[in-house]
Amino acid sequence: MTQKIRKAVFPAAGLGTRFLPATKSSPKEMLPLVDKPLIQYSVEEAVASGIESILIITGRDKTAIENHFDISFELEQVLQERGKQEMFELVRAVSDLAKISYTRQKQALGLGHAILQAKDFVGDESFAVLLADDVIDAETPALKQLIDVYEKYDAPVLATMQVAGEAISRFGVIDAEEIEPNVSKIKNIVEKPKFDDAPSDMAVIGRYVFTPELFDAIERSETGAGGEYQVADAMRILLDEGKPFYAVRLDGVRHDAGDKLGFLIATVEFALKRTDLAPEFKAYLKSLNL
Ligand code: UTP
């Protein structure tokens, strides 16, 4: 029997330099996609995948995230006084979503270092990691797709997607052998390879299921430029020791909402799915005659 994945870690302490100046004093995880902050989409995905307990790793100026998932007494009181029951319920539902705790990453020393801050929270259980700026629109929640593979193979699982052409150089890329449709056993991971050196067209994206062995591997990994700990280095240590890692090719559409163009595309796609907005929004887009 594999352990149930109950805990999820959300690293949200990055500097968000690709989205400046919006991210100067506000975390990119709070950028709104239509009317919900990015991080709410992935918290909802985690809950829909069976997660019971969440740790958000915050950096400087991240109080907006804590406030968003907390009860807002003042706002709720005003909404009730004004008879706005529907809005009251909408606001209350956010704070009822999940059991969430927070810890700080005091310096942005990379994703590996951010995950390391979750060591005490995770203990000796396998756990999930979600990067909220990767918004994944999928019928079966993306994390659930990973957990299903974890439960079958009892080993860590990474989410991947196919990336065509030169764009592959912006991702971690796996060298892997497909063992069943959409599931591969990983042989190696190469971080941001040149197009010609990429071992495949399968890019790693922001959903992971790890075993607690990862923490020790992060601690043993060498830091790169700027003292950053890369999670891919820790994974490579475990791979070199013969530990199995699997990859699932996600069924769904992934948006890089931490990037300006990716965010704009996601906004249009999500708005066009909204029954309350789509008719007028579509009419507007058509009127542009681009
Ligand atoms: P990114 O690679 O997107 O970096 O981080 P970033 O700093 O957030 O954004 P850019 O590239 O400068 O625009 C991937 C994920 O890892 C988290 C980020 O919050 C994001 O969810 N992260 C990154 C941390 O929590 N701490 C870090 O030190 C670095």
Side-chain angles (χ1 to χ4, degrees), residues 82-242:
R82 294 186 184 166
K84 308 244 184 215
Q85 189 59 23
E86 223 174 283
M87 277 186 201
F88 167 80
E89 279 163 20
L90 191 78
V91 165
R92 175 50 72 94
V94 179
S95 48
D96 285 345
L97 258 179
K99 207 170 92 191
I100 304 183
S101 45
Y102 301 87
T103 196
R104 286 233 166 200
Q105 183 191 17
K106 290 182 185 140
Q107 273 180 290
L109 290 180
L111 179 58
H113 183 258
I115 295 173
L116 201 52
Q117 311 308 308
K119 194 176 173 182
D120 289 346
F121 165 80
V122 165
D124 58 4
E125 295 183 31
S126 293
F127 63 105
V129 173
L130 295 93
L131 306 185
D133 48 347
D134 271 351
V135 179
I136 301 166
D137 188 11
E139 211 158 289
T140 303
L143 180 60
K144 175 77 171 56
Q145 296 180 39
L146 269 74
I147 290 175
D148 288 346
V149 174
Y150 166 79
E151 285 175 350
K152 188 162 174 189
Y153 293 98
D154 196 14
V157 185
L158 314 186
T160 57
M161 67 170 189
Q162 209 160 10
V163 171
E166 304 272 344
I168 196 77
S169 300
R170 297 205 296 266
F171 295 85
V173 181
I174 59 166
D175 178 6
E177 182 193 346
E178 191 163 62
I179 50 169
E180 62 170 287
N182 299 328
V183 180
S184 308
K185 189 156 189 240
I186 299 177
K187 291 189 253 176
N188 194 12
I189 301 170
V190 185
E191 201 50 39
K192 301 190 172 133
K194 289 201 184 103
F195 174 62
D196 289 334
D197 299 337
S200 73
D201 57 358
M202 297 308 294
V204 178
I205 55 176
R207 300 291 183 275
Y208 313 80
V209 171
F210 289 121
T211 55
E213 281 178 320
L214 183 81
F215 295 115
D216 176 55
I218 296 172
E219 282 166 339
R220 285 189 282 141
S221 65
E222 281 177 29
T223 54
E228 291 205 356
Y229 290 83
Q230 297 309 333
V231 75
D233 293 339
M235 287 191 265
R236 226 173 293 112
I237 289 178
L238 294 172
L239 279 167
D240 287 347
E241 290 172 356

Side-chain angles (χ1 to χ4, degrees), residues 12-17 19-31 58-67 104:
L15 298 176
T17 54
F19 226 115
L20 283 167
T23 45
K24 187 178 171 202
S25 69
S26 162
K28 71 174 164 187
E29 290 76 11
M30 287 304 292
L31 290 168
T58 62
R60 60 190 177 98
D61 299 321
K62 298 282 174 155
T63 45
I65 299 179
E66 299 184 24
N67 291 340
R104 286 233 166 200

